[in-house]
Amino acid sequence: MSTALTERPVTGAGPVTGAGPAARAGPVTCVDGAVLLDPARPLHLAHAGPGLTIATVSIDWLRDQPSGRLAGIVSRHLSPGEREHAAALRLPKRRVEWLAGRLAAKHAVRVHRRRRLGITGPTRDISVDAVPEGPRAGKPRVNAPVEIAISHSAGFAVAACGCRPVGIDVERHREISPVLARRISSVDRPAAAGPHDRLPLMPPPLRWTCKEAVLKYFGFGLRVDVREVRLTGWRPDGGFTWSPGPALRSAAAASPWPGHGWAREIGGYALALVW
């Protein structure tokens, strides 16, 4: 394989149901089929309907590349400043995880801009950094009129790009202690019991990713207690609903609120997306 990650044909998706901060549900865009977690596939790109592009990069694939080929990928896709930052990361594990996240974000932005705005250009011209300070410090941002979100866990990095804020979280499946599971779910209350509400069946790791994806959407991350995100429903198509606790409602009062939430278990990972 060349030093470029292989950009596969971008797939699409169909309709499902969505969610909002006050447990509203309505027609949104399907994410099912838009996320592929395959350790042997370096890069997967997909459009989750209009306005949202998702990229997945295999950390395992990157880690297995010879040093010369990996250096070629870095040179092809990173800007000089990003290459300097990558070189300063002392731990190889952290370096490859950081690289995978940046590659996912850059490819998501590149494909999104080409599809939505008709703008083309190399990935190295797309610069990804983070908000340096304030309540949203660490939130990823890009030198383009789009919004991005990045997450990585174990063997994969995922990124989402859209015209509006977006939050994404991926976690490899792990056992969660009963104490933490109760802490995560203690504030969750189904908005209305019904045959299609699967919230009582949602595994604790998936609950965690839903809550963290919401907090990443606003840029707060875990500086805000995950219990400030109160899940109220989870439908068979993956759409989930939630409502904010008082601290989150106050902290995010000036922010645009998301209209959609989606969560699934995929190949031993929990994945949640909010936009």
Side-chain angles (χ1 to χ4, degrees):
M1 181 174 291
S2 71
T3 56
L5 294 180
T6 302
E7 185 174 308
R8 303 297 180 93
V10 177
T11 58
V16 298
T17 55
R24 298 187 303 271
V28 300
T29 305
C30 180
V31 187
D32 280 343
V35 180
L36 178 67
L37 301 179
D38 181 353
R41 190 167 182 173
L43 171 69
H44 179 260
L45 289 153
H47 295 300
L52 195 65
T53 303
I54 300 172
T56 306
V57 168
S58 170
I59 294 175
D60 290 337
W61 183 89
L62 280 175
R63 189 177 289 120
D64 290 342
Q65 298 311 297
S67 58
R69 181 173 293 175
L70 193 60
I73 292 173
V74 168
S75 177
R76 181 182 181 91
H77 295 291
L78 299 190
S79 68
E82 290 169 332
R83 293 198 294 270
E84 183 178 343
H85 180 88
L89 297 173
R90 299 179 61 184
L91 296 177
K93 178 178 182 294
R94 174 58 185 142
R95 190 182 309 122
V96 75
E97 290 172 345
W98 181 90
L99 175 60
R102 283 333 190 247
L103 291 172
K106 285 168 173 277
H107 280 282
V109 171
R110 178 174 179 267
V111 170
H112 183 85
R113 291 200 307 175
R114 185 176 64 199
R115 178 183 174 98
R116 298 278 296 180
L117 305 173
I119 299 173
T120 60
T123 47
R124 64 174 171 270
D125 289 346
I126 298 169
S127 179
V128 181
D129 65 0
V131 175
E133 57 186 13
R136 291 173 173 79
K139 179 177 173 60
R141 61 185 184 181
V142 64
N143 62 338
V146 295
E147 298 280 349
I148 61 169
I150 304 171
S151 182
H152 64 76
S153 180
F156 296 99
V158 294
C161 175
C163 297
R164 289 172 45 84
V166 60
I168 195 167
D169 191 55
V170 63
E171 299 283 347
R172 186 167 65 177
H173 179 76
R174 58 188 174 89
E175 294 297 324
I176 291 181
S177 71
V179 173
L180 180 56
R182 286 193 297 271
R183 180 176 182 270
I184 293 171
S185 61
S186 62
V187 297
D188 298 341
R189 297 290 185 274
H196 301 298
D197 182 26
R198 300 172 63 237
L199 183 60
L201 304 177
M202 181 180 278
L206 194 55
R207 288 180 187 259
W208 178 275
T209 61
C210 289
K211 294 167 185 274
E212 190 164 354
V214 170
L215 296 178
K216 285 183 173 182
Y217 169 95
F218 292 110
F220 300 141
L222 296 179
R223 288 186 294 271
V224 172
D225 193 326
V226 294
R227 290 173 294 183
E228 285 295 307
V229 180
R230 303 171 177 182
L231 302 183
T232 57
W234 184 42
R235 302 172 74 131
D237 51 34
F240 74 88
T241 57
W242 61 280
S243 63
L248 177 57
R249 185 181 295 276
S250 175
S255 302
W257 287 90
H260 314 306
W262 177 91
R264 281 279 198 230
E265 289 187 304
I266 304 174
Y269 287 77
L271 177 74
L273 183 66
V274 175
W275 72 105

